[in-house]
Amino acid sequence: MIKAIEVTKSFGATVAVDKVSFEVKPGEVLGFLGPNGAGKSTTMRMITGFLPLSAGKILIGDYDIEEDPINAKRLMGYLPENAPSYPDMSVEAFLHFCAAIRGLSGPQKEQAVEKAIETCHLGKVRRQIIDTLSKGYRHRVCFAQAILHDPPVLILDEPTDGLDPNQKHEMRLLIREMGKSKAIIVSTHILEEVEAICTRVAIIDQGRLVFNGSPAEMLAQSPQAGRVSVNILGPNAVEIRATLQKLPAVTDIQILKELPLWTSVLISSSKKDGLASAVKALLDSQKWDFNELHTETGRLDEVFRRITSLDSAQEVKK
Amino acid sequence: MRNAWIIAKRELAGYFVSPVAYVFIVIFLVLMGFFTFMMGGFFERNDASLLSFFVWHPWLYMLLVPAVGMRLWSEEHRMGTLELLFTMPVTPAQAIIGKFLAGWLFLLVALLLTLPMVFTVQYLGEPDIGPILTGYIGSFLMAGAYLAISGLTSACTRNQVISFITALVVCLLLVLAGYPPVTNILLKWGAPSAVVDFAASLSVVFHFESMQRGVLDIRDFIYFFSLIVFAIFTTSVVLKSKRA
């Protein structure tokens, strides 16, 4: 549905986005990550047709955003950064205007506006002037504008920015629900959001795409991922270390905590699959009591830091 | 065209929900009245015409039209709504024309509110209605030209003060080009009369004056419309290059 091919944008001598390629199919929610100034918003602005491309190609459905912008834009809903809207209009008037511009009229328009108001819980403020609304409401007004025409493609630039925790939760549910049928790109700084809503992650750093894969693949890049931690009751640390060395392909055994009654251990191995059950089998054979045996899943923020702080010569992971 | 009209309607509604429209209209009417009756010597002329009314239009518009035009694009820039507008399925031409039309219609409303002036001369004497009608047409076209220029300066900057001042200066140049002090200087410098005539023919006053006298010349229409089209086209170029 969304296809970016070697998209490049330069402002004068600075290259803001450098040959970024990716694809989003219907039913996919792509999380767009990257440090501030990495080129996320610039890329989104090119996808939505606001900024012209310096090189490359973007296809929305079958339409080239540069050659047939009107038809391409028809397929898209866009929530820009900071959620702009016309402050001197009422919520209802603003949505009616957007619906009219989207080519809706008559009962179809009424229906679309009603549905957007309901979905975004704007019923209470529908006649209020946008300028007098709180930030959370203004954000939802702009989001309502994006989903008004039920577009197959949604581009959301920081959709949960400025919302309270309840609204954030609701927004995520909404995105996940819509993600079942639509092609969605979401940019965010909040990594927990990626796990909550995204089926795929793209990380952009200094204008380059440095990661493109599923959240699970991203987690797997964490050095923590696949390690097994366990609390062993009884034997002392020296004994434990000696015993655990027998595990296959063990690379490191860390004693995290040593208490009179139990010892907390972290085991790393180059063979990550089945490590937990191997540890369990070994402990059982020693007849040692243990608890809290679990495999670490790694942390997204760690991976994010690692990927985006590496030298720009980092290869692109497909 | 439908999209341009939707945008124009929104913009026009925007004028009237804010105090801008009312402040503008009141000031416009008060100044019009003051200049016509006090400065223009409407009664002393003892002439049933609106010459003392129309003669001030190029000057008053110079001050007031940039105030209407300055927010056309700088406001969209500032609010970030430009991004919203240009990612909707509208062409830049539709957006520019829509916004221009809104401003022009608003100026038309203000201009039509001066109609009591016409009733006044009709009550006092028997004016020739032709020059009054053509005067109004000319005034409306001139307002459009000023507005298109103000829209252009507004597209160039997100600062409304800069937009206002620049538009005012450009309009001032257009007015002054035809005034004797300027043409006399050119003559004194020994410029050939063809050059002086050319400079004078660039002036809005030159084209507006014949309309005040009741002359509808196709050349005057061409002049005003080419000013409008040129400014609108340049606006689209500026808006495009701003995004590039």
Side-chain angles (χ1 to χ4, degrees):
Chain A
M1 206 68 211
I2 308 168
K3 213 175 198 170
I5 305 156
E6 304 229 314
V7 172
T8 301
K9 178 79 198 174
S10 38
F11 297 102
T14 43
V15 179
V17 177
D18 193 3
K19 290 190 183 157
V20 168
S21 302
F22 58 85
E23 194 178 344
V24 187
K25 297 192 179 76
E28 278 191 319
V29 180
L30 176 73
F32 215 42
L33 305 181
N36 281 329
K40 285 182 307 238
S41 288
T42 307
T43 307
M44 293 183 129
R45 284 176 174 163
M46 283 192 283
I47 295 172
T48 51
F50 181 64
L51 290 177
L53 283 70
S54 302
K57 206 176 164 98
I58 290 173
L59 293 173
I60 308 294
D62 297 328
Y63 304 109
D64 188 313
I65 189 71
E66 300 242 89
E67 272 154 33
D68 194 352
I70 299 297
N71 277 320
K73 286 172 183 174
R74 267 190 232 286
L75 299 177
M76 259 187 294
Y78 178 37
L79 173 70
E81 209 179 351
N82 303 325
S85 53
Y86 291 105
D88 51 9
M89 296 177 94
S90 73
V91 173
E92 234 174 9
F94 175 68
L95 292 178
H96 272 112
F97 163 70
C98 295
I101 281 283
R102 294 283 182 188
L104 299 172
S105 60
Q108 241 185 330
K109 184 169 96 172
E110 295 300 323
Q111 231 173 8
V113 171
E114 284 313 312
K115 196 170 163 221
I117 286 178
E118 197 191 301
T119 313
C120 300
H121 303 289
L122 292 167
K124 262 201 293 187
V125 297
R126 59 190 299 158
R127 280 179 228 293
Q128 218 165 311
I129 300 298
I130 293 174
D131 202 23
T132 64
L133 296 177
S134 68
K135 193 177 176 198
Y137 268 120
R138 259 182 281 175
H139 210 90
R140 278 188 274 167
V141 169
C142 195
F143 183 73
Q145 159 279 130
I147 60 166
L148 195 59
H149 51 300
D150 196 20
V153 174
L154 268 180
I155 313 290
L156 309 171
D157 204 345
E158 303 194 6
T160 55
D161 183 41
L163 301 182
D164 69 34
N166 292 337
Q167 294 165 342
K168 272 189 180 138
H169 176 70
E170 207 171 319
M171 179 66 92
R172 286 172 196 164
L173 288 181
L174 202 60
I175 293 173
R176 204 154 54 180
E177 182 60 36
M178 289 191 293
K180 286 177 185 161
S181 54
K182 298 178 195 300
I184 302 181
I185 298 181
V186 181
S187 87
T188 180
H189 282 301
I190 308 164
L191 291 161
E192 56 187 274
E193 211 155 75
V194 173
E195 287 178 284
I197 59 178
C198 299
T199 60
R200 226 144 49 75
V201 185
I203 301 179
I204 191 168
D205 186 31
Q206 296 174 29
R208 286 193 189 84
L209 194 67
V210 289
F211 179 85
N212 186 358
S214 68
E217 280 167 11
M218 184 175 166
L219 276 174
Q221 296 224 331
S222 166
Q224 236 86 339
R227 292 189 198 178
V228 169
S229 71
V230 62
N231 297 339
I232 302 172
L233 285 72
N236 67 35
V238 183
E239 215 175 325
I240 289 171
R241 196 183 280 276
T243 309
L244 290 177
Q245 287 293 355
K246 294 181 200 155
L247 285 165
V250 163
T251 51
D252 187 32
I253 293 167
Q254 267 182 58
I255 307 293
L256 297 179
K257 226 188 254 175
E258 202 180 348
L259 296 171
L261 284 180
W262 52 275
T263 310
S264 172
V265 195
L266 184 67
I267 308 147
S268 316
S269 161
S270 54
K271 220 178 104 195
K272 284 172 183 164
D273 289 339
L275 183 61
S277 40
V279 170
K280 183 178 182 299
L282 182 69
L283 295 176
D284 282 343
S285 72
Q286 296 281 331
K287 301 223 164 54
W288 285 349
D289 221 355
F290 64 91
N291 59 27
E292 291 187 17
L293 171 82
H294 76 104
T295 308
E296 303 272 341
T297 52
R299 283 168 51 199
L300 281 178
D301 58 339
E302 241 176 36
V303 183
F304 179 80
R305 257 202 309 276
R306 235 166 63 95
I307 292 179
T308 56
S309 58
L310 281 181
D311 200 15
S312 46
Q314 168 82 2
E315 59 165 329
V316 176
K317 288 259 193 290
K318 289 274 170 185
Chain B
M1 211 49 218
R2 181 176 173 267
N3 281 340
W5 180 236
I6 294 167
I7 291 169
K9 269 200 301 195
R10 193 213 71 74
E11 189 78 18
L12 202 55
Y15 286 125
F16 286 97
V17 290
S18 67
V20 177
Y22 307 102
V23 170
F24 177 90
I25 287 176
V26 167
I27 289 180
F28 176 75
L29 294 177
V30 167
L31 287 181
M32 253 343 168
F34 173 75
F35 278 101
T36 306
F37 293 107
M38 304 299 165
M39 310 280 286
F42 176 79
F43 295 112
E44 290 83 349
R45 274 168 186 261
N46 212 9
D47 177 20
S49 80
L50 281 181
L51 279 180
S52 64
F53 165 67
F54 286 125
V55 77
W56 299 105
H57 284 205
W59 297 97
L60 264 181
Y61 281 159
M62 198 173 82
L63 205 63
L64 292 175
V65 176
V68 175
M70 68 181 182
R71 59 196 291 280
L72 278 182
W73 295 104
S74 17
E75 186 84 352
E76 299 259 350
H77 262 300
R78 211 170 53 81
M79 305 303 313
T81 42
L82 197 66
E83 197 170 343
L84 212 55
L85 191 60
F86 280 158
T87 52
M88 293 200 173
V90 292
T91 61
Q94 287 168 344
I96 294 167
I97 291 172
K99 279 172 138 328
F100 171 75
L101 273 183
W104 210 11
L105 283 177
F106 171 68
L107 291 172
L108 180 65
V109 170
L111 184 60
L112 290 181
L113 286 172
T114 62
L115 281 179
M117 216 71 97
V118 180
F119 306 143
T120 310
V121 274
Q122 273 204 310
Y123 175 77
L124 293 174
E126 279 172 11
D128 188 354
I129 208 73
I132 291 178
L133 192 66
T134 56
Y136 266 101
I137 293 173
S139 175
F140 179 55
L141 288 175
M142 185 169 58
Y146 280 24
L147 181 70
I149 290 164
S150 311
L152 170 59
T153 62
S154 167
C156 293
T157 170
R158 65 179 67 199
N159 186 323
Q160 299 200 358
V161 176
I162 295 177
S163 161
F164 176 81
I165 301 280
T166 322
L168 192 143
V169 168
V170 175
C171 293
L172 180 68
L173 288 177
L174 281 179
V175 170
L176 287 183
Y179 262 73
V182 176
T183 48
N184 286 347
I185 291 175
L186 287 176
L187 281 176
K188 255 191 233 161
W189 286 348
S193 63
V195 173
V196 179
D197 284 349
F198 176 73
S201 72
L202 282 182
S203 162
V204 284
V205 178
F206 177 84
H207 295 274
F208 181 47
E209 253 171 9
S210 59
M211 285 185 144
Q212 290 173 53
R213 277 184 267 113
V215 183
L216 277 188
D217 191 333
I218 187 78
R219 279 174 298 180
D220 298 331
F221 278 91
I222 291 173
Y223 168 79
F224 284 118
F225 276 111
S226 44
L227 259 184
I228 291 172
V229 170
F230 170 76
I232 284 182
F233 176 74
T234 315
T235 305
S236 79
V237 173
V238 168
L239 285 176
K240 196 171 174 194
S241 72
K242 279 227 147 184
R243 288 184 292 143

